[in-house]
Structures are given as structure tokens and as C-alpha cells.
mmCIF file of all heavy atoms in Angstrom:
data_model
loop_
_atom_site.group_PDB
_atom_site.id
_atom_site.type_symbol
_atom_site.label_atom_id
_atom_site.label_comp_id
_atom_site.label_asym_id
_atom_site.label_seq_id
_atom_site.Cartn_x
_atom_site.Cartn_y
_atom_site.Cartn_z
ATOM 1 N N ARG A 1 -2.392 -13.162 11.948
ATOM 2 C CA ARG A 1 -3.044 -11.848 11.909
ATOM 3 C C ARG A 1 -4.080 -11.795 10.796
ATOM 4 O O ARG A 1 -5.206 -11.321 11.004
ATOM 5 C CB ARG A 1 -2.000 -10.742 11.694
ATOM 6 C CG ARG A 1 -2.577 -9.334 11.761
ATOM 7 C CD ARG A 1 -1.604 -8.303 11.225
ATOM 8 N NE ARG A 1 -1.444 -8.422 9.786
ATOM 9 C CZ ARG A 1 -2.303 -7.942 8.896
ATOM 10 N NH1 ARG A 1 -3.411 -7.330 9.291
ATOM 11 N NH2 ARG A 1 -2.081 -8.091 7.600
ATOM 12 N N ARG A 2 -3.715 -12.296 9.627
ATOM 13 C CA ARG A 2 -4.660 -12.279 8.512
ATOM 14 C C ARG A 2 -5.896 -13.120 8.808
ATOM 15 O O ARG A 2 -7.009 -12.754 8.438
ATOM 16 C CB ARG A 2 -3.971 -12.778 7.239
ATOM 17 C CG ARG A 2 -2.918 -11.819 6.706
ATOM 18 C CD ARG A 2 -2.318 -12.318 5.420
ATOM 19 N NE ARG A 2 -1.352 -11.356 4.896
ATOM 20 C CZ ARG A 2 -1.111 -11.168 3.600
ATOM 21 N NH1 ARG A 2 -1.779 -11.861 2.690
ATOM 22 N NH2 ARG A 2 -0.225 -10.290 3.216
ATOM 23 N N ALA A 3 -5.690 -14.242 9.484
ATOM 24 C CA ALA A 3 -6.825 -15.104 9.810
ATOM 25 C C ALA A 3 -7.764 -14.432 10.805
ATOM 26 O O ALA A 3 -8.979 -14.594 10.725
ATOM 27 C CB ALA A 3 -6.321 -16.430 10.381
ATOM 28 N N THR A 4 -7.218 -13.643 11.727
ATOM 29 C CA THR A 4 -8.058 -13.029 12.764
ATOM 30 C C THR A 4 -8.820 -11.817 12.253
ATOM 31 O O THR A 4 -9.864 -11.475 12.803
ATOM 32 C CB THR A 4 -7.218 -12.603 13.978
ATOM 33 O OG1 THR A 4 -6.222 -11.662 13.567
ATOM 34 C CG2 THR A 4 -6.548 -13.797 14.623
ATOM 35 N N VAL A 5 -8.320 -11.156 11.200
ATOM 36 C CA VAL A 5 -8.995 -9.940 10.723
ATOM 37 C C VAL A 5 -9.826 -10.176 9.471
ATOM 38 O O VAL A 5 -10.544 -9.285 9.030
ATOM 39 C CB VAL A 5 -7.975 -8.803 10.440
ATOM 40 C CG1 VAL A 5 -7.173 -8.500 11.668
ATOM 41 C CG2 VAL A 5 -7.064 -9.155 9.264
ATOM 42 N N ARG A 6 -9.753 -11.368 8.900
ATOM 43 C CA ARG A 6 -10.452 -11.615 7.635
ATOM 44 C C ARG A 6 -11.961 -11.482 7.790
ATOM 45 O O ARG A 6 -12.646 -10.985 6.918
ATOM 46 C CB ARG A 6 -10.107 -13.015 7.100
ATOM 47 C CG ARG A 6 -10.515 -13.191 5.642
ATOM 48 C CD ARG A 6 -9.959 -14.472 5.073
ATOM 49 N NE ARG A 6 -10.656 -15.641 5.600
ATOM 50 C CZ ARG A 6 -10.317 -16.906 5.309
ATOM 51 N NH1 ARG A 6 -9.266 -17.130 4.547
ATOM 52 N NH2 ARG A 6 -10.995 -17.917 5.788
ATOM 53 N N GLU A 7 -12.457 -11.926 8.911
ATOM 54 C CA GLU A 7 -13.887 -11.827 9.159
ATOM 55 C C GLU A 7 -14.102 -11.383 10.602
ATOM 56 O O GLU A 7 -13.427 -11.856 11.501
ATOM 57 C CB GLU A 7 -14.577 -13.183 8.953
ATOM 58 C CG GLU A 7 -14.498 -13.718 7.549
ATOM 59 C CD GLU A 7 -15.129 -15.096 7.448
ATOM 60 O OE1 GLU A 7 -15.895 -15.451 8.361
ATOM 61 O OE2 GLU A 7 -14.844 -15.792 6.472
ATOM 62 N N ALA A 8 -15.007 -10.460 10.794
ATOM 63 C CA ALA A 8 -15.335 -10.029 12.150
ATOM 64 C C ALA A 8 -16.158 -11.108 12.827
ATOM 65 O O ALA A 8 -17.061 -11.693 12.232
ATOM 66 C CB ALA A 8 -16.115 -8.717 12.124
ATOM 67 N N GLY A 9 -15.840 -11.355 14.084
ATOM 68 C CA GLY A 9 -16.620 -12.338 14.830
ATOM 69 C C GLY A 9 -16.359 -13.742 14.335
ATOM 70 O O GLY A 9 -15.253 -14.107 13.978
ATOM 71 N N GLY A 10 -17.400 -14.560 14.294
ATOM 72 C CA GLY A 10 -17.247 -15.945 13.865
ATOM 73 C C GLY A 10 -17.023 -16.868 15.043
ATOM 74 O O GLY A 10 -16.614 -16.451 16.120
ATOM 75 N N GLU A 11 -17.299 -18.135 14.819
ATOM 76 C CA GLU A 11 -17.113 -19.131 15.863
ATOM 77 C C GLU A 11 -15.624 -19.391 16.094
ATOM 78 O O GLU A 11 -14.802 -19.246 15.184
ATOM 79 C CB GLU A 11 -17.799 -20.438 15.456
ATOM 80 C CG GLU A 11 -19.307 -20.330 15.300
ATOM 81 C CD GLU A 11 -19.999 -20.064 16.624
ATOM 82 O OE1 GLU A 11 -19.465 -20.506 17.670
ATOM 83 O OE2 GLU A 11 -21.061 -19.419 16.614
ATOM 84 N N ALA A 12 -15.310 -19.790 17.336
ATOM 85 C CA ALA A 12 -13.910 -20.069 17.672
ATOM 86 C C ALA A 12 -13.344 -21.165 16.774
ATOM 87 O O ALA A 12 -12.184 -21.092 16.343
ATOM 88 C CB ALA A 12 -13.813 -20.479 19.138
ATOM 89 N N ARG A 13 -14.170 -22.176 16.461
ATOM 90 C CA ARG A 13 -13.699 -23.259 15.603
ATOM 91 C C ARG A 13 -13.347 -22.747 14.212
ATOM 92 O O ARG A 13 -12.342 -23.161 13.619
ATOM 93 C CB ARG A 13 -14.769 -24.343 15.517
ATOM 94 C CG ARG A 13 -14.363 -25.531 14.657
ATOM 95 C CD ARG A 13 -15.440 -26.595 14.660
ATOM 96 N NE ARG A 13 -15.099 -27.693 13.775
ATOM 97 C CZ ARG A 13 -15.866 -28.754 13.586
ATOM 98 N NH1 ARG A 13 -17.023 -28.860 14.223
ATOM 99 N NH2 ARG A 13 -15.490 -29.713 12.754
ATOM 100 N N GLU A 14 -14.158 -21.851 13.667
ATOM 101 C CA GLU A 14 -13.889 -21.288 12.347
ATOM 102 C C GLU A 14 -12.586 -20.501 12.352
ATOM 103 O O GLU A 14 -11.798 -20.560 11.400
ATOM 104 C CB GLU A 14 -15.049 -20.392 11.917
ATOM 105 C CG GLU A 14 -16.367 -21.133 11.696
ATOM 106 C CD GLU A 14 -17.507 -20.181 11.389
ATOM 107 O OE1 GLU A 14 -17.256 -18.958 11.371
ATOM 108 O OE2 GLU A 14 -18.629 -20.650 11.156
ATOM 109 N N LEU A 15 -12.369 -19.746 13.425
ATOM 110 C CA LEU A 15 -11.141 -18.965 13.532
ATOM 111 C C LEU A 15 -9.927 -19.894 13.535
ATOM 112 O O LEU A 15 -8.952 -19.649 12.817
ATOM 113 C CB LEU A 15 -11.163 -18.116 14.804
ATOM 114 C CG LEU A 15 -9.843 -17.414 15.161
ATOM 115 C CD1 LEU A 15 -9.451 -16.430 14.074
ATOM 116 C CD2 LEU A 15 -9.959 -16.709 16.508
ATOM 117 N N LEU A 16 -9.974 -20.936 14.340
ATOM 118 C CA LEU A 16 -8.839 -21.849 14.420
ATOM 119 C C LEU A 16 -8.593 -22.548 13.095
ATOM 120 O O LEU A 16 -7.444 -22.811 12.726
ATOM 121 C CB LEU A 16 -9.074 -22.870 15.538
ATOM 122 C CG LEU A 16 -9.056 -22.291 16.960
ATOM 123 C CD1 LEU A 16 -9.361 -23.377 17.979
ATOM 124 C CD2 LEU A 16 -7.716 -21.637 17.260
ATOM 125 N N GLU A 17 -9.660 -22.829 12.347
ATOM 126 C CA GLU A 17 -9.493 -23.440 11.022
ATOM 127 C C GLU A 17 -8.791 -22.476 10.077
ATOM 128 O O GLU A 17 -7.931 -22.879 9.284
ATOM 129 C CB GLU A 17 -10.854 -23.863 10.460
ATOM 130 C CG GLU A 17 -11.465 -25.074 11.150
ATOM 131 C CD GLU A 17 -12.858 -25.395 10.632
ATOM 132 O OE1 GLU A 17 -13.412 -24.576 9.864
ATOM 133 O OE2 GLU A 17 -13.394 -26.468 10.990
ATOM 134 N N ARG A 18 -9.170 -21.187 10.156
ATOM 135 C CA ARG A 18 -8.512 -20.182 9.305
ATOM 136 C C ARG A 18 -7.052 -20.022 9.709
ATOM 137 O O ARG A 18 -6.168 -19.891 8.849
ATOM 138 C CB ARG A 18 -9.237 -18.840 9.414
ATOM 139 C CG ARG A 18 -10.643 -18.832 8.847
ATOM 140 C CD ARG A 18 -11.101 -17.410 8.535
ATOM 141 N NE ARG A 18 -11.043 -16.530 9.690
ATOM 142 C CZ ARG A 18 -12.038 -16.334 10.539
ATOM 143 N NH1 ARG A 18 -13.189 -16.986 10.374
ATOM 144 N NH2 ARG A 18 -11.922 -15.497 11.548
ATOM 145 N N VAL A 19 -6.795 -20.032 11.019
ATOM 146 C CA VAL A 19 -5.421 -19.919 11.502
ATOM 147 C C VAL A 19 -4.596 -21.107 11.005
ATOM 148 O O VAL A 19 -3.467 -20.941 10.520
ATOM 149 C CB VAL A 19 -5.389 -19.841 13.037
ATOM 150 C CG1 VAL A 19 -3.965 -20.008 13.546
ATOM 151 C CG2 VAL A 19 -5.960 -18.506 13.510
ATOM 152 N N ASP A 20 -5.161 -22.299 11.104
ATOM 153 C CA ASP A 20 -4.437 -23.494 10.676
ATOM 154 C C ASP A 20 -4.138 -23.451 9.181
ATOM 155 O O ASP A 20 -3.024 -23.766 8.743
ATOM 156 C CB ASP A 20 -5.257 -24.741 11.005
ATOM 157 C CG ASP A 20 -4.502 -26.022 10.669
ATOM 158 O OD1 ASP A 20 -3.438 -26.242 11.252
ATOM 159 O OD2 ASP A 20 -4.974 -26.779 9.805
ATOM 160 N N GLU A 21 -5.126 -23.028 8.398
ATOM 161 C CA GLU A 21 -4.930 -22.921 6.948
ATOM 162 C C GLU A 21 -3.834 -21.911 6.615
ATOM 163 O O GLU A 21 -2.981 -22.152 5.749
ATOM 164 C CB GLU A 21 -6.238 -22.501 6.286
ATOM 165 C CG GLU A 21 -6.149 -22.335 4.782
ATOM 166 C CD GLU A 21 -7.434 -21.809 4.165
ATOM 167 O OE1 GLU A 21 -8.450 -21.705 4.893
ATOM 168 O OE2 GLU A 21 -7.422 -21.503 2.967
ATOM 169 N N GLY A 22 -3.856 -20.783 7.315
ATOM 170 C CA GLY A 22 -2.856 -19.759 7.043
ATOM 171 C C GLY A 22 -1.464 -20.171 7.474
ATOM 172 O O GLY A 22 -0.484 -19.937 6.756
ATOM 173 N N THR A 23 -1.348 -20.777 8.662
ATOM 174 C CA THR A 23 -0.020 -21.118 9.162
ATOM 175 C C THR A 23 0.637 -22.211 8.325
ATOM 176 O O THR A 23 1.873 -22.316 8.320
ATOM 177 C CB THR A 23 -0.072 -21.553 10.633
ATOM 178 O OG1 THR A 23 -1.014 -22.617 10.795
ATOM 179 C CG2 THR A 23 -0.446 -20.393 11.531
ATOM 180 N N GLN A 24 -0.151 -23.010 7.618
ATOM 181 C CA GLN A 24 0.459 -24.007 6.739
ATOM 182 C C GLN A 24 1.306 -23.335 5.653
ATOM 183 O O GLN A 24 2.348 -23.845 5.247
ATOM 184 C CB GLN A 24 -0.615 -24.897 6.108
ATOM 185 C CG GLN A 24 -1.276 -25.855 7.094
ATOM 186 C CD GLN A 24 -0.288 -26.653 7.918
ATOM 187 O OE1 GLN A 24 0.628 -27.274 7.374
ATOM 188 N NE2 GLN A 24 -0.462 -26.631 9.231
ATOM 189 N N LYS A 25 0.851 -22.174 5.172
ATOM 190 C CA LYS A 25 1.650 -21.427 4.190
ATOM 191 C C LYS A 25 2.967 -20.985 4.826
ATOM 192 O O LYS A 25 4.036 -21.050 4.206
ATOM 193 C CB LYS A 25 0.881 -20.205 3.701
ATOM 194 C CG LYS A 25 -0.404 -20.494 2.953
ATOM 195 C CD LYS A 25 -1.088 -19.190 2.557
ATOM 196 C CE LYS A 25 -2.415 -19.419 1.881
ATOM 197 N NZ LYS A 25 -3.089 -18.145 1.540
ATOM 198 N N ALA A 26 2.864 -20.506 6.067
ATOM 199 C CA ALA A 26 4.069 -20.050 6.760
ATOM 200 C C ALA A 26 5.035 -21.205 6.985
ATOM 201 O O ALA A 26 6.238 -21.087 6.724
ATOM 202 C CB ALA A 26 3.698 -19.393 8.091
ATOM 203 N N TRP A 27 4.521 -22.352 7.460
ATOM 204 C CA TRP A 27 5.401 -23.495 7.714
ATOM 205 C C TRP A 27 6.052 -23.984 6.426
ATOM 206 O O TRP A 27 7.223 -24.397 6.426
ATOM 207 C CB TRP A 27 4.615 -24.628 8.364
ATOM 208 C CG TRP A 27 4.318 -24.429 9.826
ATOM 209 C CD1 TRP A 27 3.089 -24.399 10.412
ATOM 210 C CD2 TRP A 27 5.270 -24.246 10.880
ATOM 211 N NE1 TRP A 27 3.213 -24.190 11.770
ATOM 212 C CE2 TRP A 27 4.533 -24.098 12.084
ATOM 213 C CE3 TRP A 27 6.663 -24.185 10.928
ATOM 214 C CZ2 TRP A 27 5.147 -23.900 13.321
ATOM 215 C CZ3 TRP A 27 7.282 -23.983 12.151
ATOM 216 C CH2 TRP A 27 6.529 -23.846 13.323
ATOM 217 N N SER A 28 5.327 -23.937 5.314
ATOM 218 C CA SER A 28 5.900 -24.353 4.040
ATOM 219 C C SER A 28 7.056 -23.441 3.648
ATOM 220 O O SER A 28 8.116 -23.918 3.207
ATOM 221 C CB SER A 28 4.818 -24.334 2.956
ATOM 222 O OG SER A 28 5.359 -24.691 1.702
ATOM 223 N N ALA A 29 6.863 -22.119 3.822
ATOM 224 C CA ALA A 29 7.936 -21.170 3.501
ATOM 225 C C ALA A 29 9.117 -21.350 4.443
ATOM 226 O O ALA A 29 10.285 -21.277 4.021
ATOM 227 C CB ALA A 29 7.397 -19.742 3.579
ATOM 228 N N ILE A 30 8.850 -21.588 5.715
ATOM 229 C CA ILE A 30 9.919 -21.795 6.696
ATOM 230 C C ILE A 30 10.732 -23.038 6.325
ATOM 231 O O ILE A 30 11.966 -23.034 6.382
ATOM 232 C CB ILE A 30 9.324 -21.932 8.114
ATOM 233 C CG1 ILE A 30 8.722 -20.599 8.562
ATOM 234 C CG2 ILE A 30 10.388 -22.390 9.110
ATOM 235 C CD1 ILE A 30 7.794 -20.704 9.763
ATOM 236 N N ALA A 31 10.034 -24.108 5.919
ATOM 237 C CA ALA A 31 10.725 -25.331 5.518
ATOM 238 C C ALA A 31 11.605 -25.083 4.302
ATOM 239 O O ALA A 31 12.755 -25.549 4.235
ATOM 240 C CB ALA A 31 9.711 -26.432 5.220
ATOM 241 N N GLY A 32 11.089 -24.320 3.314
ATOM 242 C CA GLY A 32 11.879 -24.004 2.131
ATOM 243 C C GLY A 32 13.102 -23.175 2.476
ATOM 244 O O GLY A 32 14.195 -23.386 1.926
ATOM 245 N N PHE A 33 12.927 -22.220 3.387
ATOM 246 C CA PHE A 33 14.039 -21.377 3.834
ATOM 247 C C PHE A 33 15.133 -22.242 4.472
ATOM 248 O O PHE A 33 16.316 -22.130 4.138
ATOM 249 C CB PHE A 33 13.525 -20.348 4.830
ATOM 250 C CG PHE A 33 14.585 -19.440 5.392
ATOM 251 C CD1 PHE A 33 14.810 -18.188 4.842
ATOM 252 C CD2 PHE A 33 15.358 -19.831 6.473
ATOM 253 C CE1 PHE A 33 15.785 -17.344 5.357
ATOM 254 C CE2 PHE A 33 16.348 -19.004 6.992
ATOM 255 C CZ PHE A 33 16.555 -17.760 6.436
ATOM 256 N N LEU A 34 14.744 -23.122 5.403
ATOM 257 C CA LEU A 34 15.721 -23.925 6.132
ATOM 258 C C LEU A 34 16.408 -24.939 5.224
ATOM 259 O O LEU A 34 17.611 -25.192 5.364
ATOM 260 C CB LEU A 34 15.040 -24.645 7.294
ATOM 261 C CG LEU A 34 14.581 -23.736 8.437
ATOM 262 C CD1 LEU A 34 13.755 -24.531 9.446
ATOM 263 C CD2 LEU A 34 15.779 -23.090 9.124
ATOM 264 N N THR A 35 15.660 -25.518 4.281
ATOM 265 C CA THR A 35 16.261 -26.471 3.350
ATOM 266 C C THR A 35 17.352 -25.793 2.528
ATOM 267 O O THR A 35 18.460 -26.323 2.357
ATOM 268 C CB THR A 35 15.194 -27.062 2.422
ATOM 269 O OG1 THR A 35 14.240 -27.789 3.202
ATOM 270 C CG2 THR A 35 15.823 -27.998 1.396
ATOM 271 N N ALA A 36 17.046 -24.587 2.019
ATOM 272 C CA ALA A 36 18.037 -23.850 1.220
ATOM 273 C C ALA A 36 19.198 -23.395 2.097
ATOM 274 O O ALA A 36 20.361 -23.426 1.665
ATOM 275 C CB ALA A 36 17.370 -22.650 0.553
ATOM 276 N N TYR A 37 18.914 -22.979 3.308
ATOM 277 C CA TYR A 37 19.966 -22.547 4.255
ATOM 278 C C TYR A 37 20.984 -23.669 4.451
ATOM 279 O O TYR A 37 22.194 -23.437 4.442
ATOM 280 C CB TYR A 37 19.298 -22.182 5.578
ATOM 281 C CG TYR A 37 20.228 -21.687 6.671
ATOM 282 C CD1 TYR A 37 20.441 -20.321 6.860
ATOM 283 C CD2 TYR A 37 20.865 -22.575 7.531
ATOM 284 C CE1 TYR A 37 21.267 -19.856 7.878
ATOM 285 C CE2 TYR A 37 21.699 -22.124 8.545
ATOM 286 C CZ TYR A 37 21.892 -20.765 8.718
ATOM 287 O OH TYR A 37 22.722 -20.306 9.731
ATOM 288 N N ARG A 38 20.474 -24.882 4.612
ATOM 289 C CA ARG A 38 21.366 -26.012 4.898
ATOM 290 C C ARG A 38 22.146 -26.469 3.674
ATOM 291 O O ARG A 38 23.088 -27.257 3.813
ATOM 292 C CB ARG A 38 20.551 -27.169 5.481
ATOM 293 C CG ARG A 38 20.016 -26.882 6.892
ATOM 294 C CD ARG A 38 19.332 -28.107 7.488
ATOM 295 N NE ARG A 38 19.020 -27.911 8.901
ATOM 296 C CZ ARG A 38 17.790 -27.675 9.382
ATOM 297 N NH1 ARG A 38 16.760 -27.610 8.543
ATOM 298 N NH2 ARG A 38 17.596 -27.514 10.679
ATOM 299 N N THR A 39 21.772 -26.008 2.474
ATOM 300 C CA THR A 39 22.554 -26.365 1.285
ATOM 301 C C THR A 39 23.841 -25.558 1.193
ATOM 302 O O THR A 39 24.725 -25.901 0.401
ATOM 303 C CB THR A 39 21.744 -26.144 -0.009
ATOM 304 O OG1 THR A 39 21.452 -24.747 -0.173
ATOM 305 C CG2 THR A 39 20.461 -26.953 0.008
ATOM 306 N N VAL A 40 23.942 -24.485 1.960
ATOM 307 C CA VAL A 40 25.159 -23.659 1.960
ATOM 308 C C VAL A 40 26.203 -24.364 2.815
ATOM 309 O O VAL A 40 26.013 -24.540 4.028
ATOM 310 C CB VAL A 40 24.875 -22.251 2.518
ATOM 311 C CG1 VAL A 40 26.150 -21.416 2.534
ATOM 312 C CG2 VAL A 40 23.788 -21.566 1.686
#
């Protein structure tokens, strides 16, 4: 959502690059969550 609203318009390639950059943060947090979950 943040990647799609950060800039109005833009090329499709630019949008996908922003999405990829943003989702890496999400995947990193998800990995940290699951690693800690499995330590229980």
C-alpha cells in the first residue's frame, strides 16, 4: 500500500521496484517473527 501511494502515476517498472523494496522489510519482519516463534 505504501509503495502504491508514495507517488502518483509512474511507470509500472518503478512501481514494482518500490513494491519489491517495501516487501523486503515485511519479509524480514516475518522471518524474525517465525524464528522467535519457533524458539518457544
Side-chain angles (χ1 to χ4, degrees):
R1 185 194 70 80
R2 291 183 178 212
T4 59
V5 303
R6 194 170 73 183
E7 297 177 18
E11 297 293 330
R13 181 178 176 180
E14 294 175 359
L15 171 62
L16 292 177
E17 288 176 351
R18 293 200 303 269
V19 169
D20 184 61
E21 179 185 353
T23 54
Q24 289 310 309
K25 297 178 183 178
W27 283 122
S28 178
I30 292 165
F33 179 96
L34 291 172
T35 297
Y37 181 95
R38 291 186 171 105
T39 64
V40 179

